[in-house]
Amino acid sequence: MARSRKFFTVASLGVASFALIGAGATATFNDAVQSRQQITSGTMNLTISGPADSWTNGKMLTLKDIGPVGSTFSTGPQLVTVTNNGNITSALVKLTVSAPTANPTLANGIFVKIQMQDTKATVYDGPLAGLTNAADLGINGQKIAAGDSMAAFVTFYASDLPNGAQSGVVTPTFTVDFTG
């Protein structure tokens, strides 16, 4: 029996050794990685300016009053410039025009021509009343990079105002919306 006890003890140690070998064969490694990025929002700061005889506070431009005019007149090309003083690119979304007046005959008799300064492309040349309803002038989406400008010549004119336009006053107002 002593011999079988020795054998049993050796066998038990052998099994235990195999168990320990199997336990030591497994290992767990841990590691971690990370990614990060700082995002800073930019600033839109568009300003508008015009000829020397105009008034601006940077956001609103008032061109010099014209008149009284006869049935045929032209303001001549007046350079209007929008400058991007921000640090992000801004895109023109839409141009809205209103022409408040108590004399629709005058408003319907006035024409406006808008011509881009850099390309000399005419964006619009037609009745002022038609510009208020113009859906797409081909300038929507035009971009102004930070530090750059977009300029256009604006000319109001008439070639034969009817008698009903006499003593009228109209104030065309252009609003240009941008996104960035």
Side-chain angles (χ1 to χ4, degrees):
M1 218 178 208
R3 189 172 182 196
S4 78
R5 191 178 219 189
K6 257 184 179 181
F7 179 74
F8 180 68
T9 303
V10 171
S12 294
L13 285 174
V15 169
S17 296
F18 283 123
L20 287 175
I21 291 172
T26 62
T28 303
F29 297 106
N30 293 311
D31 198 0
V33 293
Q34 186 178 88
S35 173
R36 64 182 274 187
Q37 179 180 32
Q38 179 175 321
I39 298 173
T40 304
S41 63
T43 303
M44 282 184 61
N45 181 16
L46 298 165
T47 56
I48 189 167
S49 60
D53 57 0
S54 62
W55 174 89
T56 186
N57 66 2
K59 296 296 181 185
M60 166 81 93
L61 171 66
T62 302
L63 298 171
K64 178 183 166 191
D65 292 344
I66 302 294
V69 298
S71 62
T72 301
F73 74 91
S74 174
T75 62
Q78 302 169 98
L79 185 61
V80 175
T81 305
V82 177
T83 302
N84 184 350
N85 297 304
N87 58 10
I88 60 173
T89 298
S90 300
L92 191 147
V93 177
K94 69 178 178 175
L95 170 67
T96 308
V97 180
S98 65
T101 184
N103 187 329
T105 304
L106 174 62
N108 291 335
I110 294 177
F111 288 74
V112 62
K113 179 178 182 180
I114 302 172
Q115 183 179 33
M116 301 308 292
Q117 180 190 29
D118 57 351
T119 63
K120 304 297 186 232
T122 299
V123 175
Y124 182 82
D125 190 2
L128 176 60
L131 182 55
T132 60
N133 300 320
D136 183 16
L137 300 174
I139 57 175
N140 290 350
Q142 183 167 347
K143 297 179 191 273
I144 305 175
D148 281 346
S149 298
M150 175 178 74
F153 292 104
V154 178
T155 305
F156 295 98
Y157 64 96
S159 58
D160 190 15
L161 287 173
N163 282 336
Q166 292 186 58
S167 299
V169 175
V170 65
T171 307
T173 304
F174 294 66
T175 303
V176 186
D177 293 319
F178 287 86
T179 188

